[in-house]
């Protein structure tokens, strides 16, 4: 469509190239069927109906005619995110549905991008720059392929509140396996040639694999479909682990590690979820990180080191809520003794199961920390 400067309104009976433009725009929006022969530049009744429909859904005055305002709205509606580069042009601000979409995404992610008005102004630029800086992208204020990819990767991760699909019966405890249909990927860190931290004969890699298998057994008994990212002799790359989880279309990704430090005093349990620490975070990931850590602390007596937002690739490249749990310090005498105890690892696995259950339960059925026990024992 051409210039949007003031124009003679088009309406029933109008003919000409401008009408052909309008019809093409309506067609691309799916509001008008294919042209009949000789009708392509004719403002006929289907055209008028389509214009009315368009005006109604866009909140314009509905008169079935195309004046300046409707013409502009039609031009803007053609653009979807990714069709063109978006940036701030103070002379001729870029307008379009793609801009609205970008603004909405930034606002959702917690960036102040101004009102989602479809006009790429200074505020949108500031919001976009902040997003680009936080995510390690080139901070040029231009929304191009790299920025779009980052926005898409965040697609499912940043959702408001708990997933809606949790709304099940409140009488979950009596209803048998509750995690049917849930796909959960458990990722034991390290593996194969990479042992992680070592304590005598025992390695972090072996301990987290044992823990992962215990979690797997408990989750599977509760009805979930569980995948581990590795076996004993494998050490997948970070990318392989995250791709695996994405391909499995997992609902939740749980990565397991243990810590060690030269200082013998360091001890306790920490959890990490996707977030920048400046308002942008995976709310589901944060909730699960919190639940899992608190369940562990309540059941094992280990020190609570808190939950922390991180932009690590492991958390960033997974499309589902993902959490890394650091389940104690192998360098601390008490933590180590606990972690080397198979029974205690069973307790940690039960803590993770309880956290998963609580994540997927309706809020009113959520039992207090440390108390939830799966009806059938594993
Ligand atoms: Zn590790």
């Amino acid at each position: 469509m051409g210039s949007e400067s003031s124009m003679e309104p088009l309406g029933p009976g109008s003919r000409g190239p401008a009408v052909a433009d309008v019809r093409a725009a309506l067609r691309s929006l799916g509001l008008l069927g294919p042209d009949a022969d000789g009708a392509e530049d004719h403002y006929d009744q289907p055209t008028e109906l389509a214009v009315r429909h368009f005006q109604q859904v866009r909140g314009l005055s509905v008169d079935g005619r195309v004046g300046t305002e409707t013409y502009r709205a039609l031009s803007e509606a053609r653009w979807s995110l990714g069709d063109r580069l978006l940036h701030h042009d103070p002379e001729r601000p870029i307008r379009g549905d793609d801009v609205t979409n970008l603004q909405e995404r930034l606002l959702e992610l917690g960036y102040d991008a101004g009102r989602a008005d479809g006009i790429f102004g200074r505020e949108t630029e500031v919001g976009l720059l902040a997003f680009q800086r936080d995510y390690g992208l080139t901070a040029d204020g231009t929304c191009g392929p790299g920025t779009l990819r980052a926005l898409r990767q965040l697609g499912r991760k940043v959702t408001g509140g708990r997933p809606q699909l949790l709304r099940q019966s409140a009488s979950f405890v009596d209803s048998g396996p509750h995690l049917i249909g849930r796909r959960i990927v458990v990722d034991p860190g390290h593996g194969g040639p990479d042992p992680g931290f070592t304590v005598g004969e025992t390695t972090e890699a072996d301990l987290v694999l044992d823990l992962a298998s215990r979690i797997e057994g408990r989750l599977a008994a509760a009805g979930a479909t569980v995948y581990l990212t590795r076996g004993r002799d494998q050490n997948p790359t970070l990318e392989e682990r995250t791709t695996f989880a994405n391909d499995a279309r997992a609902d939740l990704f749980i990565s397991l590690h243990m810590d060690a430090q030269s200082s013998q005093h360091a001890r306790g349990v920490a959890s990490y979820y996707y977030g920048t620490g400046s308002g942008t975070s995976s709310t589901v990931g944060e909730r699960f990180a919190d639940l899992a850590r608190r369940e562990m602390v309540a059941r094992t007596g280990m020190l609570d080191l808190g939950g922390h937002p991180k932009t690590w690739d492991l958390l960033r490249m997974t499309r589902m809520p993902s959490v890394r749990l650091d389940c104690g310090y192998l360098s601390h005498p008490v933590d180590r003794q606990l972690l080397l105890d198979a029974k205690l690892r069973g307790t940690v696995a039960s803590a993770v199961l309880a956290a998963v259950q609580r994540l997927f339960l309706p809020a009113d059925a959520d039992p207090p920390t440390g108390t939830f026990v799966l009806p059938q024992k594993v």
Side-chain angles (χ1 to χ4, degrees):
M1 301 178 75
S3 154
E4 60 182 37
S5 56
S6 79
M7 58 182 283
E8 279 296 301
L10 303 169
S14 302
R15 294 195 84 114
V19 175
D21 270 1
V22 166
R23 290 180 53 107
L26 292 167
R27 232 177 7 253
S28 74
L29 295 170
L31 296 174
L32 195 63
D35 282 331
D37 275 349
E40 60 274 0
D41 67 347
H42 189 187
Y43 205 112
D44 55 8
Q45 205 197 1
T47 307
E48 187 194 347
L49 283 175
V51 168
R52 285 181 177 276
H53 181 83
F54 176 76
Q55 290 172 325
Q56 195 157 23
V57 296
R58 306 289 289 203
L60 303 165
S61 10
V62 181
D63 61 2
R65 300 166 67 81
V66 178
T68 309
E69 196 186 29
T70 300
Y71 193 83
R72 174 186 287 168
L74 273 171
S75 308
E76 292 175 6
R78 285 184 314 163
W79 298 105
S80 45
L81 201 52
D83 285 353
R84 54 179 174 175
L85 295 178
L86 299 175
H87 59 96
H88 179 42
D89 177 351
E91 301 292 309
R92 277 182 68 89
I94 299 179
R95 296 162 167 267
D97 281 18
D98 48 352
V99 177
T100 311
N101 204 266
L102 172 66
Q103 290 167 328
E104 284 170 353
R105 295 289 292 119
L106 290 171
L107 290 167
E108 244 174 75
L109 290 165
Y111 293 91
D112 185 2
R115 211 159 52 84
D117 58 2
I119 305 167
F120 199 119
R122 177 68 190 142
E123 284 175 302
T124 310
E125 182 179 43
V126 170
L128 180 60
L129 283 167
F131 170 76
Q132 290 176 324
R133 273 192 294 270
D134 280 355
Y135 288 80
L137 303 161
T138 311
D140 56 4
T142 296
C143 180
T147 302
L148 280 174
R149 213 170 312 128
L151 285 169
R152 292 206 172 105
Q153 270 162 4
L154 291 166
R156 283 183 53 209
K157 192 186 298 290
V158 184
T159 51
R162 53 173 62 227
Q164 284 312 300
L165 29 130
L166 310 185
R167 305 281 162 225
Q168 294 172 355
S169 150
S171 60
F172 67 93
V173 179
D174 309 316
S175 65
H178 329 298
L179 295 176
I180 287 172
R182 304 287 176 193
R183 303 159 81 82
I184 297 164
V185 169
V186 183
D187 172 47
H190 313 282
D194 170 17
F197 296 113
T198 54
V199 217
E201 302 275 281
T202 317
T203 66
E204 176 192 357
D206 286 343
L207 288 174
V208 290
L209 181 63
D210 173 89
L211 182 57
S213 310
R214 292 169 192 270
I215 293 171
E216 179 189 23
R218 283 162 173 75
L219 286 172
T225 306
V226 190
Y227 306 95
L228 301 193
T229 53
R230 70 167 175 93
R232 183 167 302 277
D233 300 322
Q234 296 155 317
N235 179 26
T237 63
L238 206 115
E239 197 186 348
E240 285 165 342
R241 293 173 199 250
T242 54
T243 304
F244 177 84
N246 290 340
D247 290 347
R249 306 170 70 82
D251 297 305
L252 184 64
F253 179 85
I254 307 170
S255 188
L256 302 169
H257 283 262
M258 289 168 191
D259 286 315
Q261 234 186 45
S262 50
S263 155
Q264 286 207 347
H265 301 292
R267 65 185 178 100
V269 177
S271 57
Y272 304 92
Y273 55 93
Y274 182 77
T276 60
S278 66
T280 305
S281 69
S282 159
T283 50
V284 179
E286 181 173 1
R287 174 160 163 78
F288 181 72
D290 192 45
L291 286 170
R293 198 191 63 256
R294 285 195 292 131
E295 287 288 348
M296 270 194 236
V297 167
R299 290 161 194 251
T300 64
M302 287 200 270
L303 186 69
D304 188 345
L305 298 176
H308 309 278
K310 294 287 174 191
T311 54
W312 296 332
D313 277 352
L314 180 84
L315 306 175
R316 190 165 68 93
M317 306 302 281
T318 38
R319 283 192 217 106
M320 67 294 312
S322 38
V323 164
R324 171 171 152 162
L325 301 174
D326 280 23
C327 316
Y329 277 78
L330 291 170
S331 48
H332 188 272
V334 176
D335 275 13
R336 179 170 62 237
Q337 198 185 347
L338 291 172
L339 293 168
L340 290 176
D341 179 347
K343 191 157 158 269
L344 193 279
R345 288 199 301 277
T347 305
V348 171
S350 298
V352 172
L353 169 68
V356 175
Q357 298 277 21
R358 293 181 64 185
L359 181 73
F360 291 124
L361 283 180
D364 52 3
D366 194 13
T369 299
T371 61
F372 183 73
V373 180
L374 189 68
Q376 64 272 45
K377 272 263 172 211
V378 181

